[in-house]
Amino acid sequence: MKTAGVIGLGDMGSGLAKNLIKNGFETSGFDLSNTRMSAFAEMGGKAKDSAGEVGAHADCVFVMVMNGDQAREVILGEDGLVTNMGKGGTVILSATIKPAEARAIGRDMEGSGINLIDTPVSGGFPGAQNGTLTMMAAGAPDVLDRNAEAMQAVSGTIHRVGANPGDGQTVKACLQSLIGSIFSATFEAAALAAKAGVSGQALLDVFSSSSAGCGVVNTALENIIDRKFVATGSHIATMHKDLTISLALASELGVPMQTASSAMQVFHAGKTKYPDGDNWICTRVIEEIVGAELHR
């Protein structure tokens, strides 16, 4: 039977696991949360006691953790994937981390007999749960070919963006600089409309049918006008982290990023005022300044 694993069973990882199981993979998983582990077992997954145990029972393992330190620990730690997977196995790094961190993990895996695919994803909670994520995959062509079935089980679109660790993360950093900027502009436009007395539905109708309409804008605006600022599957901490990565890469390379830097300040404000909210909660901070709210 085809075997796969998932480390990190939150909003994103649980979607990976669900779709691997749906597509016929015997799927092992590990998460520090007992609640998530129970939910994983209920969907048909095989809960394991550590990352290493997952690796011992899987030909490929998706790593969907929050940051580079966590990724390094589950991949290269004492009871990590590299020391427990069978030779020829593949670590599929689907978390978003710094390109330099992915490169370092790749270097430290050399000679281990374990392959690495660096493939952060886009599509958020809906994409993960529906198996329609976009993957930015970097790895050796033969390794990508061998793991195509597992990747296709969780993704609607797979772009091969390079051959080296860090290539996928670099493309993701560029993407997030754009998405973060579009988000912040949408939040500001929503607050402007609220202060001017425009209805949220009118704004959505125009935006969604104009050249500015896209999934990022439409989703943000719908959540804003329906006042859905928490538990929508797009926690503000994730975009805040991603923009931090984008701007760090820009600093490393000496690239001016005025728009993304401004977006970062919007997310700073939102995360500071409402640390448990989702991306769209940044709008509330601006609304509180102007004294108006946008409703449908």
Side-chain angles (χ1 to χ4, degrees):
M1 187 176 186
K2 301 173 294 185
T3 60
V6 181
I7 308 296
L9 297 166
D11 287 341
M12 300 296 290
S14 63
L16 299 180
K18 180 178 76 173
N19 285 291
L20 286 166
I21 293 167
K22 177 182 175 181
N23 282 275
F25 285 84
E26 181 182 283
T27 305
S28 302
F30 174 70
D31 193 284
L32 294 174
S33 166
N34 291 329
T35 300
R36 292 175 178 175
M37 290 284 276
S38 296
F40 171 66
E42 289 174 5
M43 72 171 70
K46 296 184 178 298
K48 301 299 180 182
D49 293 330
S50 68
E53 275 198 32
V54 173
H57 291 85
D59 295 322
C60 65
V61 179
F62 290 83
V63 175
M64 187 57 86
V65 293
M66 189 62 180
N67 57 49
D69 289 340
Q70 293 173 355
R72 168 168 283 274
E73 179 61 26
V74 301
I75 294 170
L76 292 161
E78 185 175 345
D79 191 22
L81 298 174
V82 166
T83 56
N84 288 277
M85 293 186 78
K87 300 301 180 185
T90 302
V91 174
I92 302 177
L93 179 57
S94 51
T96 298
I97 65 175
K98 296 176 182 177
E101 292 172 326
R103 290 194 293 268
I105 289 171
R107 286 195 300 269
D108 290 343
M109 288 179 63
E110 290 177 1
S112 66
I114 308 301
N115 303 300
L116 176 65
I117 295 175
D118 172 26
T119 180
V121 301
S122 182
F125 179 74
Q129 297 296 319
N130 296 325
T132 58
L133 291 168
T134 294
M135 305 189 90
M136 291 147 268
D142 63 316
V143 175
L144 291 170
D145 289 342
R146 289 202 304 273
N147 291 277
E149 187 176 0
M151 295 168 68
Q152 289 165 357
V154 304
S155 174
T157 306
I158 300 171
H159 296 287
R160 296 192 178 192
V161 300
N164 302 309
D167 289 349
Q169 301 296 337
T170 299
V171 174
K172 179 65 183 288
C174 296
L175 175 65
Q176 294 305 85
S177 72
L178 176 61
I179 291 178
S181 298
I182 294 172
F183 271 149
S184 67
T186 305
F187 305 154
E188 292 175 346
L192 177 62
K195 187 65 173 179
V198 177
S199 79
Q201 186 63 57
L203 198 68
L204 176 61
D205 290 344
V206 171
F207 280 17
S208 62
S209 61
S210 75
S211 56
C214 65
V216 173
V217 170
N218 297 348
T219 297
L221 194 52
E222 285 179 352
N223 281 302
I224 291 165
I225 65 179
D226 287 335
R227 316 308 290 173
K228 294 181 179 178
F229 295 120
V230 296
T232 65
S234 296
H235 199 281
I236 193 171
T238 301
M239 178 55 72
H240 186 275
K241 177 206 72 171
D242 290 356
L243 279 172
T244 301
I245 291 172
S246 300
L247 292 173
L249 179 62
S251 179
E252 176 187 331
L253 297 176
V255 178
M257 300 276 281
Q258 288 95 336
T259 304
S261 296
S262 296
M264 181 82 260
Q265 296 309 309
V266 173
F267 278 89
H268 273 323
K271 185 173 181 289
T272 299
K273 184 69 181 291
Y274 297 109
D276 297 323
D278 289 347
N279 291 324
W280 356 104
I281 209 162
C282 295
T283 309
R284 287 189 63 183
V285 178
I286 306 172
E287 289 178 338
E288 288 163 4
I289 294 172
V290 304
E293 294 183 354
L294 189 66
H295 292 262
R296 188 176 286 275

